[in-house]
Amino acid sequence: MKNMKKTSRRRFLETAGSAGAGILLSGMRTGAQERGGGPGPHRYGRQEGSGRPATIDPNDPAVVFSESLCQECDHCEKACGRMMGIMDRYDPEKTGKAICIHCGQCSAICPHEAVTERFHYPTAERLLADPEWVTVALVSPSTRVSLGEMFGIEQGANVQGKTVAALKALGFDHVFDVTFGADMTVMEEAAELVSRLRAGGTDGMPMFTSCCPAWVKLAEYWFPELLPSLSSAKSPILMQGSLVKTWFARKNGINPERIKVVAVAPCTAKKFEITRPEMNASGRFLSNPEIRDIDLVLTNRELGRMLGAAEIDFAALEEAPFDPAMGRGSGAGIIFGNTGGVMEAALRTAYYLETGLDPPEDLLRFAPIRGLESVREAEVRLGGRTVRTAAVHGGANIFALAEKIRAKEVSYDFVEVMACPGGCIGGGGQPKTRGRAAKEAAQTSRSTGLYAIADRLAEPEASSYKNGALRGVYDEFLARTEPGEKETNAHRLLHTSFVSRASDLA
Ligand code: SF4
């Protein structure tokens, strides 16, 4: 690899996995993807405690299994069963199909590349090579504190500028910050929370966050009675994708059919989320249902592999700024990558909506809800009310808390749920770590890194409702209605719905 120091290269190979090495060393793509997972039932591990096989569907949109690479080490079984609580909650003999929330923790832990994310990067490379397409990259909040790990840069260090420069070097026409989309999610979610609180009663309470697609799917399978309580606000990436294909395309005179939006994320579940039938709000808006809100999702690992294949020396890149149209989010948008961050972000804006005042200092550093404890609880005064909140992360912890909520053993007004351990900083598409201690150290460094970036920002940069560029988009587009339409563009583009999948478990 050109210009890559020896230590950086070794670190890259460790964090990208052996398929990354295949690309780097030979220019060929290796591993499960090229084998297409192979024929057969795609068994991996055994269902914990039962001796039954679990499966990955050969058509799973997020992860791919290759039996020929599997060494039966059972790491994936521990991730899916013990950590996420999925495998031991269904019987594949009964369901006749794989039940998966697409968190990708199996792919993050597999040391043999037998389970990987479903690669989108070959398609991304083809799009970038074709001048026909206007390519837009959206960079997730937590990518800036983890991508550097693949190139020998200190864990948790802010590589935002290098990430933008790298995506430009790969050929993306526009590179936007998903903290802008996170601010949109906050605006919609905080308004929804305040509206539900004002309505009083218990309907739709507690309100759950819904920006984690793996949590949404878990709820659709096992807790369908909670679905009316999930916020209808779309996740930041899906909101921003629909805005790129509508407002941004219109403003810049670009045919939306020529735009391809590629999200860069720590998340494999986003690969599933973008395939949900309802995630074509921009297509419905534009009367072309074929247009999707997001076209591809690259995990952070995949972006590292693309940079390696393109022989881009990430560590040596000059920093570049995000493109200005959606280039700036608030500190609230940045902390979305941490467990508890979505709640903290939403409470700042909810406080403003309820009181008309800027949030106090303790909401700009909401200490009780920060940290990596499995469940953190806190009460906060919003206007004349006390709002009871909780944040939970990790599949097994989610089952435990949701079962208590269902049994009315605990009571809250607002609950943040993130499927991956630590939230997106521990996402299934993050650079790989080996062993529990390394994994926990990575989560701590990434989490600390995100809070450090955000906490440097005082008002007016700390809260989503003060994002001037976003307020401008609301004024000129989102808060308006199109001729002949009754709903605002915000309602048409930024909200979604959920579906019970409980019958799949029967
Ligand atoms: Fe994706 Fe984050 Fe949810 Fe993990 S916690 S599935 S990375 S959204």
Side-chain angles (χ1 to χ4, degrees):
M1 176 178 294
K2 277 183 216 160
N3 301 325
M4 190 180 267
K5 285 191 194 131
K6 221 172 175 182
T7 47
S8 307
R9 186 167 172 277
R10 186 173 344 120
R11 186 81 190 119
F12 174 82
L13 295 177
E14 284 167 6
T15 53
S18 58
I23 295 161
L24 284 171
L25 299 176
S26 68
M28 292 172 61
R29 296 186 185 95
T30 61
Q33 304 292 297
E34 297 306 303
R35 293 164 179 80
H42 296 76
R43 292 176 176 188
Y44 74 106
R46 292 170 298 284
Q47 198 162 26
E48 195 154 86
S50 68
R52 290 188 296 251
T55 60
I56 291 179
D57 189 300
N59 297 314
D60 190 288
V63 287
V64 174
F65 175 66
S66 173
E67 197 150 13
S68 63
L69 294 174
C70 177
Q71 305 291 312
E72 299 191 13
C73 67
D74 289 350
H75 282 56
C76 56
E77 177 185 336
K78 291 190 181 85
C80 187
R82 198 176 303 166
M83 188 167 74
M84 297 306 295
I86 302 297
M87 281 174 68
D88 49 1
R89 278 187 170 78
Y90 81 96
D91 178 354
E93 308 271 322
K94 205 160 114 187
T95 62
K97 60 180 167 187
I99 299 294
C100 182
I101 62 168
H102 316 290
C103 65
Q105 292 299 321
C106 50
S107 70
I109 206 168
C110 177
H112 307 295
E113 294 295 296
V115 188
T116 68
E117 63 270 63
R118 184 170 288 283
F119 292 149
H120 287 185
Y121 72 88
T123 310
E125 287 169 342
R126 281 195 291 277
L127 292 175
L128 289 167
D130 185 346
E132 165 77 9
W133 301 109
V134 176
T135 50
V136 178
L138 305 180
V139 183
S140 294
S142 73
T143 300
R144 74 205 65 207
V145 290
S146 59
L147 187 62
E149 293 167 32
M150 298 180 75
F151 300 94
I153 295 174
E154 186 191 354
Q155 231 168 27
N158 183 2
V159 294
Q160 173 183 309
K162 288 183 186 299
T163 305
V164 178
L167 289 161
K168 291 279 186 175
L170 286 172
F172 280 96
D173 297 305
H174 304 276
V175 183
F176 294 137
D177 193 349
V178 172
T179 59
F180 189 91
D183 280 344
M184 265 189 286
T185 295
V186 167
M187 295 296 286
E188 299 299 315
E189 194 166 273
E192 200 175 345
L193 176 65
V194 167
S195 155
R196 291 191 196 197
L197 288 169
R198 284 181 183 163
T202 53
D203 277 0
M205 301 303 275
M207 189 174 98
F208 293 88
T209 59
S210 59
C211 51
C212 171
W215 148 240
V216 167
K217 199 158 184 226
L218 186 155
E220 289 177 329
Y221 280 130
W222 283 282
F223 299 96
E225 67 277 29
L226 298 183
L227 294 178
S229 301
L230 268 61
S231 166
S232 66
K234 281 161 71 173
S235 65
I237 285 172
L238 272 301
M239 281 195 181
Q240 201 159 348
S242 59
L243 198 63
V244 167
K245 296 204 176 172
T246 54
W247 170 78
F248 177 75
R250 184 186 287 181
K251 201 173 173 65
N252 292 280
I254 304 170
N255 177 356
E257 293 175 5
R258 288 183 52 231
I259 297 178
K260 292 291 181 188
V261 182
V262 181
V264 178
C267 183
T268 55
K270 294 278 166 213
K271 290 176 184 276
F272 157 73
E273 187 184 23
I274 66 169
T275 68
R276 292 182 67 112
E278 62 274 17
M279 290 305 173
N280 68 340
S282 48
R284 283 177 272 124
F285 184 95
L286 296 161
S287 305
N288 180 352
E290 298 300 311
I291 294 178
R292 306 293 303 172
D293 293 340
I294 295 284
D295 297 287
L296 298 172
V297 173
L298 300 173
T299 63
N300 293 341
R301 289 196 299 269
E302 284 180 277
L303 176 57
R305 290 170 185 209
M306 282 178 78
L307 297 173
E311 302 192 343
I312 291 169
D313 186 349
F314 184 82
L317 286 170
E318 290 286 327
E319 298 195 353
F322 283 111
D323 288 313
M326 300 183 201
R328 192 165 184 119
S330 68
I334 289 169
I335 61 175
F336 253 61
N338 284 338
T339 170
V342 179
M343 163 166 295
E344 182 174 334
L347 286 174
R348 293 178 192 173
T349 291
Y351 186 92
Y352 170 76
L353 294 176
E354 189 64 353
T355 66
L357 301 171
D358 288 343
E361 190 57 30
D362 59 355
L363 270 189
L364 298 179
R365 308 260 188 300
F366 195 28
I369 225 76
R370 294 189 176 189
L372 294 169
E373 285 292 307
S374 56
V375 181
R376 284 96 61 219
E377 298 174 320
E379 291 188 346
V380 59
R381 291 289 294 171
L382 276 195
R385 299 183 183 82
T386 298
V387 177
R388 296 154 302 165
T389 68
V392 59
H393 62 112
N397 303 325
I398 294 169
F399 278 109
L401 187 69
E403 277 156 10
K404 279 189 192 168
I405 291 171
R406 177 158 62 188
K408 302 199 187 315
E409 290 170 22
V410 290
S411 176
Y412 304 106
D413 299 300
F414 187 27
V415 180
E416 185 212 277
V417 190
M418 303 303 278
C420 293
C424 303
I425 55 157
Q430 291 282 30
K432 289 193 177 194
T433 51
R434 292 276 180 261
R436 190 170 173 167
K439 185 176 165 179
E440 288 175 358
Q443 285 174 17
T444 302
S445 309
R446 295 168 190 164
S447 171
T448 306
L450 277 186
Y451 282 130
I453 300 167
D455 288 348
R456 272 198 296 273
L457 302 173
E459 294 290 24
E461 294 178 298
S463 298
S464 307
Y465 68 91
K466 290 197 166 177
N467 182 333
L470 178 57
R471 287 168 76 129
V473 177
Y474 268 92
D475 287 347
E476 77 178 61
F477 180 70
L478 286 171
R480 295 175 180 263
T481 51
E482 296 293 298
E485 292 289 341
K486 290 199 178 105
E487 294 180 323
T488 63
N489 292 338
H491 196 270
R492 293 172 68 196
L493 293 170
L494 307 185
H495 289 264
T496 189
S497 57
F498 313 104
V499 59
S500 171
R501 301 175 197 266
S503 60
D504 288 0
L505 297 172

